[in-house]
Amino acid sequence: METLSQHLEYLGLCGDDTEAEDQILESLNGILLALTEDKQRSFSLLRESGIFLTLAKILKGNTRCAVKAAQVLSEIAKNEEMKKTCIEADLVLTLIPLLESTDQEMLLHAGRAIGRICYDNRDLQEELVKVGVITSLVRILTDYAESEPLVHVDLLALCNLADFDTAKEALSKTKVAEQLVKQLRRAENHERLEIVFEVLQALAENDVLKMQLVEAGVQEVLSEILLRLQGSSQAEDTCIVKAASDLIVSLLLGVVNKVQMLEEGVAERIQALLRSEMPPVQFKLLGTLRMLADGQADAAEILGQDPMLLNRLVQWCNANDHVSVRGEANRLLASILRHNRSQEVVKAIQEAQAVKHLVSMTTSKHAALQNEALNALAIASAIDLETLEESFKESQLVQSLHKLLQDDNTSPEVKCNSMSLLCSLLKSGDLRQEIEADKIKETLEQLCSHNNAKVVKEAVTTLQVLRGERPISLPSSP
């Protein structure tokens, strides 16, 4: 500690003397040595010495010693109390211009120092974005993509800043998407993958960056990762699969992205991973496939004509031990039918014996799920009622619909969708007999005086179809 005091004293006296660079470097190395031997006492002496103003002068005016000064600061900033002293000495603004250096060692130590000083400090982080640090970070990621230590520091910085809208806006004006996709592809360990995924997930919240990521081919790399981890039961791999699935879902919020995702074979990769026996992963991947199918007829057709997938979904629909997976499997089946326009898909779902699960879904406690099932069955009936007729009778669809119409707790929308499906079923002679035998006509007549105008309108229309009359369109309520 006595030696440290001497080094600090010397730097205080001669720290800005460019003629004494060798001695300045020796003193800076002395500080680093003292920090490795006794951090707490060293920190105490450093605080009392006022060395920070000297370090700032070295950083600004002594090119040869600046790298070592930045290294000293990066070590000092590991301590929470010392971070405050660095902030008070305004060292962050002194360090930022050093990120324009071409010296990799300088970039590494300056980057670490800035990262540690600003960690968990939203005001300082926002200030970094304002003074243009994003441009420097992307330049470093581009110019030194093969330098593991620099890339690590850079990704951590992006991870801490990417939540800011101002940072996303600044990043959207750079080539960061290309660089992150490159880093995702070359990532060889779980820690690196997790950091890259965290940055990508934050950026995917921005529409411009989302499109840039897709244009940069992120979906292709995600497919490769999912394929590589197929069949693994390691906890770390499971985390990566979930992160990849989360990112796919975020990227799928635009229809254009869905088309590109399909072309890259993401659906096939996810289906392969569904063979995993990890419910949390299955749940996430099923949700991802549902996102692919939503609003995308091509995707629905691909998924709906895959017998292995359909059989797996039917198995999960029977899984009482994993309610979340069972629910998501039902929703995916409904989504495939709702967005499908192909008779082949209807036949495939019938052959997989999946219809009874969709009928069961109409009695869910959640109105949203009921509506998904009812709409799916209505669309399937419109496409190929003859194929489904026998399954509808076996699963007692008509009786289920009648109960929904009779139940006062059924939401107006569910009642309307139930009647819309009934209108489709009435095209079948056998199902019409069931509807008449179950005395649904009486229930429909009661619904003609319902307090909801849409329910009344649908009840009148359904009665007309039941009687064989041509439906007369009623004026909409104001």
Side-chain angles (χ1 to χ4, degrees):
M1 289 302 106
E2 189 177 329
T3 308
L4 175 60
S5 295
Q6 290 170 0
H7 285 310
L8 292 171
E9 188 177 346
Y10 177 81
L11 287 171
L13 292 170
C14 307
D16 54 354
D17 185 353
T18 52
E19 300 295 317
E21 287 180 347
D22 288 340
Q23 183 58 47
I24 291 170
L25 285 170
E26 186 182 328
S27 292
L28 291 170
N29 280 319
I31 295 173
L32 288 170
L33 182 62
L35 284 168
T36 60
E37 291 176 351
D38 190 339
K39 278 188 169 59
Q40 291 311 313
R41 288 183 67 192
S42 298
F43 287 144
S44 180
L45 282 172
L46 284 163
R47 263 196 306 271
E48 293 165 9
S49 69
I51 190 66
F52 295 96
L53 293 176
T54 303
L55 288 173
K57 286 178 184 176
I58 295 171
L59 289 169
K60 286 176 181 175
N62 191 326
T63 308
R64 188 176 164 217
C65 300
V67 174
K68 191 61 66 176
Q71 186 181 358
V72 168
L73 275 174
S74 74
E75 288 302 311
I76 289 172
K78 287 179 179 178
N79 178 273
E80 198 63 36
E81 287 302 313
M82 297 303 288
K83 274 167 61 173
K84 293 177 184 174
T85 314
C86 292
I87 292 166
E88 287 163 7
D90 220 12
L91 282 169
V92 174
L93 289 176
T94 307
L95 286 161
I96 286 171
L98 302 178
L99 295 178
E100 294 304 309
S101 171
T102 54
D103 183 315
Q104 290 192 44
E105 202 177 351
M106 170 62 88
L107 292 171
L108 183 64
H109 295 311
R112 281 176 177 163
I114 293 168
R116 287 166 183 167
I117 294 169
C118 297
Y119 180 73
D120 217 17
N121 186 320
R122 299 286 290 178
D123 291 338
L124 267 181
Q125 288 172 349
E126 200 156 16
E127 190 63 31
L128 288 177
V129 177
K130 282 180 184 173
V131 297
V133 78
I134 292 295
T135 307
S136 300
L137 291 174
V138 176
R139 181 190 70 82
I140 293 167
L141 199 60
T142 305
D143 293 351
Y144 305 101
E146 307 294 321
S147 168
E148 290 304 313
L150 265 181
V151 167
H152 182 72
V153 170
D154 203 283
L155 288 172
L156 285 176
L158 286 172
C159 208
N160 287 322
L161 299 176
D163 280 338
F164 291 99
D165 289 338
T166 48
K168 290 188 183 84
E169 189 179 343
L171 284 164
S172 70
K173 296 169 184 171
T174 70
K175 300 283 186 183
V176 73
E178 290 175 21
Q179 297 308 318
L180 287 172
V181 170
K182 187 185 291 184
Q183 289 302 325
L184 188 63
R185 182 172 268 122
R186 56 188 301 277
E188 292 180 353
N189 59 62
H190 288 91
E191 185 189 4
R192 175 59 55 81
L193 277 169
E194 283 171 12
I195 295 172
V196 177
F197 272 127
E198 199 168 333
V199 177
L200 289 171
Q201 190 65 52
L203 300 195
E205 294 170 6
N206 178 284
D207 287 341
V208 176
L209 285 164
K210 190 190 302 181
M211 287 307 302
Q212 288 174 359
L213 286 169
V214 173
E215 285 163 10
V218 71
Q219 65 281 359
E220 182 186 328
V221 187
L222 290 172
S223 286
E224 290 168 9
I225 291 169
L226 290 174
L227 188 62
R228 190 169 75 232
L229 300 181
Q230 182 178 326
S232 172
S233 57
Q234 289 184 23
E236 288 177 323
D237 289 341
T238 304
C239 289
I240 297 302
V241 168
K242 287 169 74 175
S245 303
D246 282 338
L247 184 56
I248 290 170
V249 171
S250 297
L251 293 169
L252 290 177
L253 296 177
V255 173
V256 177
N257 290 347
K258 288 183 186 180
V259 174
Q260 286 191 248
M261 289 286 196
L262 279 167
E263 288 172 354
E264 297 293 347
V266 170
E268 288 89 334
R269 301 284 185 273
I270 296 169
Q271 288 178 54
L273 279 167
L274 283 170
R275 297 186 194 116
S276 135
E277 292 303 325
M278 295 174 283
V281 176
Q282 292 166 345
F283 175 75
K284 182 62 68 179
L285 294 174
L286 286 168
T288 305
L289 284 176
R290 183 162 57 81
M291 288 287 292
L292 265 173
D294 279 351
Q296 197 65 46
D298 290 347
E301 223 168 293
I302 291 167
L303 299 175
Q305 293 185 70
D306 183 332
M308 282 180 63
L309 173 65
L310 294 178
N311 289 330
R312 197 80 171 98
L313 290 178
V314 169
Q315 286 174 28
W316 281 320
C317 288
N318 288 315
N320 294 321
D321 47 345
H322 297 297
V323 178
S324 60
V325 173
R326 185 180 70 201
E328 203 56 55
N330 274 300
R331 294 192 74 191
L332 178 53
L333 277 174
S335 185
I336 289 170
L337 276 180
R338 282 190 300 121
H339 299 98
N340 160 66
R341 296 293 177 268
S342 162
Q343 196 172 16
E344 295 307 311
V345 171
V346 176
K347 285 178 178 172
I349 283 182
Q350 159 68 20
E351 284 168 16
Q353 299 182 344
V355 175
K356 62 184 177 186
H357 297 294
L358 290 168
V359 173
S360 179
M361 190 177 166
T362 65
T363 63
S364 166
K365 293 176 183 176
H366 306 285
L369 299 187
Q370 289 178 297
N371 286 318
E372 286 176 19
L374 290 165
N375 287 329
L377 292 171
I379 289 168
S381 300
I383 294 170
D384 190 353
L385 180 56
E386 188 179 344
T387 294
L388 300 171
E389 192 174 47
E390 204 54 44
S391 288
F392 284 166
K393 287 195 283 188
E394 287 172 9
S395 57
Q396 298 192 313
L397 173 59
V398 169
Q399 291 74 16
S400 294
L401 294 176
H402 195 182
K403 284 176 185 173
L404 288 174
L405 294 175
Q406 288 174 314
D407 190 345
D408 291 338
N409 293 319
T410 303
S411 74
E413 189 179 0
V414 170
K415 284 186 187 290
C416 287
N417 286 330
S418 298
M419 289 185 278
S420 177
L421 177 53
L422 274 175
C423 287
S424 292
L425 302 185
L426 282 165
K427 293 171 186 172
S428 154
D430 287 354
L431 291 172
R432 175 179 278 273
Q433 282 181 10
E434 280 197 14
I435 291 167
E436 289 170 352
D438 213 49
K439 299 182 179 176
I440 292 180
K441 181 183 172 189
E442 294 174 11
T443 305
L444 291 170
E445 287 169 347
Q446 290 169 14
L447 290 174
C448 287
S449 57
H450 195 274
N451 58 13
N452 183 285
K454 288 182 179 176
V455 171
V456 171
K457 185 178 179 181
E458 200 64 49
V460 170
T461 301
T462 309
L463 273 172
Q464 289 169 341
V465 175
L466 182 57
R467 293 171 182 147
E469 303 169 4
R470 178 178 288 186
I472 301 166
S473 57
L474 296 176
S476 300
S477 57

